[in-house]
Amino acid sequence: EKAHTFTRVLLNTCQNEFESLPSTFEPTEEEIAKISAQEITLEMKRRKDKMLANMKFIGNLFLRNLLAVKVIGQVVHDLIGIKEPGLPEEHMIECVCELLHSIGYTMDGSQTGKQLMDQFSARLRD
């Protein structure tokens, strides 16, 4: 088992947050029934802000060499797929845009990163 260093705990927490991203941001029927429209709007904004902040954080972990290019590739693949039919959810595209905005310049600096960026760009153009 890996040692519980601060870095390991940080990466595990970030991974858990990413893996618990909702597949949709639409309010559930239960939420619609219990909460006012204004509160639902605020809750949806809070969820979206949290999700985008997590993408920025993942980008910053990469920029500080705490995540490998391969991991970033997997994150983007999980969000929008690369060769999968159908279009990804709008909030997933927004996540990828936020992440690539943070790391795009650095990714273009390596051959592997540049190839991945080309794949990501092609998928986003779909």
Side-chain angles (χ1 to χ4, degrees):
E1 188 177 314
K2 294 182 180 178
H4 291 287
T5 63
F6 175 75
T7 303
R8 174 79 355 230
V9 171
L10 184 69
L11 292 175
N12 286 342
T13 302
C14 187
Q15 181 178 1
N16 292 338
E17 277 293 315
F18 176 75
E19 288 172 353
S20 69
L21 274 179
S23 58
T24 182
F25 274 122
E26 297 304 313
T28 63
E29 288 182 25
E30 184 179 317
E31 289 172 327
I32 292 171
K34 287 184 177 179
I35 307 173
S36 73
Q38 186 178 11
E39 288 174 322
I40 287 175
T41 303
L42 288 172
E43 178 61 21
M44 296 304 115
K45 181 173 178 2
R46 187 192 67 75
R47 288 180 191 174
K48 180 179 175 179
D49 290 347
K50 180 179 178 182
M51 172 190 71
L52 293 176
N54 197 40
M55 290 300 111
K56 278 185 189 175
F57 189 65
I58 289 170
N60 281 294
L61 290 173
F62 169 75
L63 293 174
R64 283 154 185 76
N65 297 315
L66 294 171
L67 292 177
V69 170
K70 185 170 127 180
V71 173
I72 296 297
Q74 188 60 52
V75 165
V76 174
H77 185 273
D78 289 351
L79 290 169
I80 61 170
I82 295 298
K83 296 183 173 118
E84 296 168 13
L87 297 175
E89 294 276 335
E90 183 179 329
H91 70 281
M92 297 298 192
I93 294 171
E94 200 168 350
C95 280
V96 171
C97 290
E98 187 68 46
L99 179 61
L100 296 182
H101 181 74
S102 300
I103 65 170
Y105 181 80
T106 304
M107 287 281 286
D108 277 339
S110 74
Q111 187 61 35
T112 306
K114 185 152 180 35
Q115 289 173 342
L116 283 173
M117 288 295 286
D118 290 343
Q119 288 176 5
F120 302 160
S121 298
R123 176 63 174 154
L124 289 172
R125 280 191 297 270
D126 290 345

